[in-house]
Amino acid sequence: MTAISEQMWELDTVEGVRDFLSSLPDNHIRLQNFIGNDFAQHSDPDNWIESFNPRTGNLLAKVPQSNASDVSRAVEAASQAFPSWSKTSRQERSDILLRIAAIIHEKKEVFAVWESLDQGKTLARARVEVERAISNFRYFATYILHEEGSARFVDGQISTLTYEHRSPVGVFALISPWNMPLYLLTWKIAPCIAFGCTGVAKPSEVTSVTAFCKELFIQIQVKSTHSSLVLGEVFRQAKLPAGVMNLIFGDGPGAGSTLVRSPLVRGVSFTGGIRTGITIRRDTVEDIGKHLSLELGGKNPTLVFDDVDLDQAIPIAAQAAFENSGQICLCGSRIYVHRAIYDRFVSAFVDYVKKNYRCGETVGPVVSLAHYDKIRSYLLQAQSEKATFLTGEIPVEIPTGGYWIEPTVLGDLGTESIVMREEIFGPVVTIAPFDTEHEAIRLANDNPNGLASILLTRDGSRMRRVGEQIDAGLVWVNCWLVRELGTAFGGMKASGTGREGGAHSRDVFTNLRTLHIR
Ligand code: NAD
């Protein structure tokens, strides 16, 4: 590595990165694709996507707008790497995954700082997500060493030994959104390579920096072709064979769609919005054998029953609403409270939010100007429907100095309001009363989405009775965002198709055949 790239690889404080960026003439970085373990200039060097720092609104990075030939080169690299990678032993794959985990662990502050800068999340939140990225690799590294299978002896006219055998599917497209860039991309990359597949990962064009392999500045380009950083560099240092995992940058309708439709791509693991999920399903419908896992959006209910201890319930409901500025698919963005405690809950909840969720301290900006505008449009809609702004206000139309939106609690909206029904994906939560348990379940389920839900109650029988009736892939009772990586993750209804986690990820990345041996 050159002196400058070494400096970047060591940049583990916000101040350090800020000074570094301001020392550059253009104050921004340029990303490059990572194909076959090499950092590659994209084919059309005049075509970039601009990515802005959410805290300031200033240009942070230029992201390659990869075209069909870039995508094709990445898919080809993955395709060539597949025959030998798919035959490596579990132990060998496990060792490499553990090395990747160890390197990210060693560099975790570097990842956290870039993740926070790129997405706008607080450093505390970024640190949690980097830890989870490390766990993703550790979990699948050990899972594959302890896989269980089944074999049976079948006696009949012909006696057979019958057993199930799995083999890796092939090349995967791994496509992730912008809200938890490293955490979600590694949730796909780790099982993909653990189960013997190879892949092309495409992070969101809005947040690409932590997946970036080589920070190449105009000046540095002249001086060096070896500066490298972050995930691509981790793969190289971990000695992941060339082509096993490739990273390309670009937008969805261009690079993403080309990748998904490639006939060499035998599976797609996608996390993102529902509309994109529908497009991907449509784009792959003719290729019937292509594996498809779709993790989509949510509009998740938080149900607060009248037996709760408010001191315990309120922090959970508030965290579920406002963590990462409400930009987590699992956020509880519509709170329903039993009428018997409604007034007390609302008053204490609002006090708690005002005290604990403060922009610039515990709350970051939202990710981009386009997203700011989208959230603002829902707040204007709420205003036009005469919602009560219990906290927050309509943000300015043209923000200067970053994309900041106050944590907003909205009351007095009708259940048919689009503000109550559609995913806003920002620091906005609605709050409404219910009278009976039956009504609470009905309100929770009266939505096209079915990703997650939160139940706050001390009644043990209600936990099961209500929990088992909620149409949501994940139900948290008196907690939120707790995950055991072996359990199923995914949504019902419009929130997705398929599950990932443990054996469910194995289903995504392997083909299953049953052998009958006489
Ligand atoms: P998005 O659907 O706009 O984009 C997600 C990714 O898909 C990006 O990398 C984008 O470039 C790519 N893409 C867009 N069009 C494509 C196409 N036609 N073909 C292939 N790829 C394409 O979503 P977003 O705005 O980045 O993320 C926010 C959404 O993600 C929210 O709805 C949120 O709920 C959801 N999400 C879901 C989960 C989950 O696990 N269920 C987790 C996080 C976020």
Side-chain angles (χ1 to χ4, degrees):
M1 284 195 280
T2 65
I4 292 175
S5 62
E6 270 170 30
Q7 187 189 345
M8 291 167 64
W9 185 244
E10 299 302 328
L11 284 177
D12 58 2
T13 63
V14 174
E15 296 72 28
V17 170
R18 205 181 291 141
D19 292 348
F20 180 67
L21 287 171
S22 59
S23 74
L24 300 167
D26 292 335
N27 302 151
H28 68 267
I29 55 179
R30 287 179 183 228
L31 311 190
Q32 279 195 312
N33 292 333
F34 178 75
I35 300 175
N37 277 12
D38 275 330
F39 304 111
Q41 178 76 44
H42 60 300
S43 312
D44 184 355
D46 294 330
N47 212 349
W48 298 91
I49 303 165
E50 294 192 324
S51 179
F52 296 88
N53 180 338
R55 283 190 176 75
T56 60
N58 297 334
L59 183 62
L60 173 65
K62 285 198 175 177
V63 180
Q65 178 65 286
S66 300
N67 63 19
S69 86
D70 298 313
V71 172
S72 157
R73 276 202 306 128
V75 172
E76 197 57 48
S79 194
Q80 281 176 14
F82 179 71
S84 67
W85 180 250
S86 60
K87 291 186 188 66
T88 48
S89 69
R90 287 181 169 78
Q91 187 65 56
E92 200 175 328
R93 280 180 266 140
S94 175
D95 289 347
I96 291 181
L97 263 79
L98 288 176
R99 283 208 293 273
I100 293 172
I103 297 168
I104 300 177
H105 184 261
E106 192 193 320
K107 289 288 166 191
K108 60 185 178 183
E109 274 303 289
V110 175
F111 275 101
V113 164
W114 281 104
E115 195 80 336
S116 167
L117 190 78
D118 192 18
Q119 202 270 335
K121 59 182 77 258
T122 62
L123 201 50
R125 176 73 214 156
R127 287 187 179 122
V128 170
E129 294 181 16
V130 174
E131 287 295 343
R132 168 60 193 277
I134 296 166
S135 307
N136 289 340
F137 286 104
R138 284 188 182 146
Y139 175 81
F140 286 105
T142 48
Y143 178 94
I144 54 174
L145 297 181
H146 305 287
E147 262 183 86
E148 288 182 1
S150 65
R152 287 169 216 173
F153 294 97
V154 181
D155 291 327
Q157 269 184 331
I158 300 173
S159 296
T160 62
L161 165 65
T162 299
Y163 70 98
E164 292 177 348
H165 173 260
R166 288 175 183 272
S167 52
V169 170
V171 177
F172 259 78
L174 310 174
I175 300 184
S176 61
W178 49 259
N179 64 319
M180 298 193 281
L182 185 70
Y183 172 131
L184 288 171
L185 202 59
T186 55
W187 177 236
K188 299 179 182 310
I189 290 174
C192 178
I193 58 180
F195 292 115
C197 294
T198 59
V200 178
K202 195 202 84 63
S204 167
E205 57 274 34
V206 185
T207 50
S208 300
V209 172
T210 42
F212 176 44
C213 15
K214 179 181 183 184
E215 275 22 24
L216 192 67
F217 305 87
I218 294 175
Q219 298 76 10
I220 299 168
Q221 195 168 15
V222 180
K223 291 180 194 157
S224 160
T225 52
H226 301 290
S227 61
S228 53
L229 190 65
V230 210
L231 207 52
E233 181 58 28
V234 171
F235 294 154
R236 292 207 325 176
Q237 292 195 11
K239 302 208 172 3
L240 184 68
V244 170
M245 190 49 59
N246 307 277
L247 299 162
I248 58 154
F249 300 103
D251 68 4
S257 179
T258 309
L259 176 61
V260 159
R261 287 183 287 111
S262 165
L264 291 177
V265 166
R266 301 317 308 140
V268 178
S269 172
F270 168 79
T271 300
I274 291 169
R275 292 309 319 167
T276 315
I278 292 169
T279 304
I280 290 175
R281 186 180 254 194
R282 193 182 295 130
D283 282 349
T284 54
V285 76
E286 293 290 332
D287 193 349
I288 191 81
K290 197 173 272 197
H291 283 213
L292 204 56
S293 170
L294 303 173
E295 305 286 357
L296 309 177
K299 181 74 174 177
N300 311 304
T302 300
L303 303 182
V304 187
F305 290 91
D306 57 355
D307 56 41
V308 294
D309 175 341
L310 287 186
D311 290 340
Q312 287 174 8
I314 285 172
I316 298 172
Q319 192 201 12
F322 296 118
E323 186 77 6
N324 203 37
S325 302
Q327 301 167 118
I328 297 181
C329 54
L330 306 162
C331 276
S333 54
R334 45 190 180 114
I335 303 178
Y336 299 103
V337 186
H338 193 280
R339 200 178 297 277
I341 59 162
Y342 185 74
D343 290 341
R344 270 197 305 131
F345 180 91
V346 171
S347 156
F349 182 76
V350 165
D351 287 348
Y352 184 87
V353 170
K354 284 183 177 159
K355 190 163 162 228
N356 292 283
Y357 289 88
R358 296 178 309 276
C359 273
E361 295 174 45
T362 49
V363 177
V366 301
V367 72
S368 66
L369 183 57
H371 197 51
Y372 176 97
D373 288 343
K374 177 188 157 190
I375 297 167
R376 186 172 179 275
S377 75
Y378 279 104
L379 294 177
L380 288 170
Q381 176 68 26
Q383 187 186 50
S384 75
E385 293 177 20
K386 310 242 176 314
T388 304
F389 282 64
L390 295 158
T391 65
E393 57 192 7
I394 308 284
V396 294
E397 186 175 356
I398 300 170
T400 50
Y403 317 128
W404 298 92
I405 297 182
E406 287 291 332
T408 305
V409 182
L410 298 172
D412 302 317
L413 277 162
T415 50
E416 290 310 308
S417 167
I418 59 164
V419 182
M420 293 276 265
R421 300 191 68 77
E422 296 179 3
E423 183 185 46
I424 299 173
F425 215 50
V428 180
V429 69
T430 63
I431 193 157
F434 67 83
D435 287 299
T436 64
E437 187 177 290
H438 178 74
E439 187 191 5
I441 296 168
R442 185 182 60 72
L443 288 167
N445 290 343
D446 180 24
N447 195 274
N449 302 288
L451 185 57
S453 62
I454 299 119
L455 307 186
L456 300 174
T457 178
R458 287 194 293 181
D459 180 335
S461 55
R462 177 183 283 136
M463 292 174 193
R464 284 191 57 194
R465 192 171 60 239
V466 176
E468 290 175 10
Q469 292 184 70
I470 303 288
D471 297 338
L474 297 141
V475 180
W476 281 293
V477 182
N478 298 328
C479 59
W480 180 67
L481 216 55
V482 181
R483 281 279 291 127
E484 196 286 309
L485 301 186
T487 55
F489 182 91
M492 294 183 186
K493 303 198 289 193
S495 293
T497 305
R499 294 287 183 276
E500 294 187 4
H504 305 281
S505 296
R506 185 175 65 165
D507 288 341
V508 172
F509 292 100
T510 57
N511 278 321
L512 182 60
R513 60 178 66 76
T514 307
L515 278 82
H516 309 270
I517 299 177
R518 187 169 183 152

